[in-house]
Amino acid sequence: MVRLTVQELLEKLPTPEGQRFIPAFARDTLEVELYAPQGTDGQQPHSRDEVYIAISGTGIFFCAGERTEFGPGDFLQVPAKLEHRFENFSEDFVTWVFFYGPSSGELR
């Protein structure tokens, strides 16, 4: 059994290297991180599929040329290799990030 709390992980951010994300859990192809960007989100496309579940905050999520509003509890899925980022997000924005599947993304 594994139990993680958002507060415990937030206390470790930023990392000594200045990163605004922290690995939280990994097993097989699943990797879980906590992400709490500030100011801007400089993400680049990832090689694996991913899911975000917003914990707190609001903003705009840009993915593959489309923008959508998000808020606490929202689920956002991004296929591997697609351009995406959070925009105009509130200062309290924090999200879980789940990477899964093979490095080229799952079959569609």
Side-chain angles (χ1 to χ4, degrees):
M1 208 277 300
V2 174
R3 180 179 183 268
L4 302 167
T5 69
V6 171
Q7 190 57 41
E8 288 172 336
L9 294 168
L10 281 175
E11 289 172 4
K12 298 177 182 181
L13 293 176
T15 66
E17 301 80 22
Q19 298 293 328
R20 298 297 309 172
F21 66 89
I22 189 159
F25 177 81
R27 181 162 299 142
D28 297 324
T29 68
L30 175 65
E31 294 180 30
V32 180
E33 297 178 353
L34 187 77
Y35 184 42
Q38 294 197 339
T40 60
D41 176 13
Q43 291 191 73
Q44 298 298 314
H46 303 290
S47 64
R48 298 172 67 206
D49 294 333
E50 65 186 305
V51 166
Y52 295 97
I53 299 177
I55 297 166
S56 62
T58 60
I60 304 294
F61 186 65
F62 171 87
C63 183
E66 295 185 28
R67 287 179 169 82
T68 187
E69 294 182 8
F70 72 87
D74 286 357
F75 175 102
L76 304 161
Q77 192 274 339
V78 181
K81 302 179 183 175
L82 286 185
E83 180 183 3
H84 64 283
R85 66 183 165 273
F86 294 96
E87 301 175 336
N88 301 320
F89 49 86
S90 58
E91 290 182 18
D92 63 339
F93 173 51
V94 179
T95 187
W96 288 111
V97 184
F98 300 82
F99 293 98
Y100 63 94
S103 65
S104 59
E106 292 195 347
L107 298 176
R108 309 272 180 268

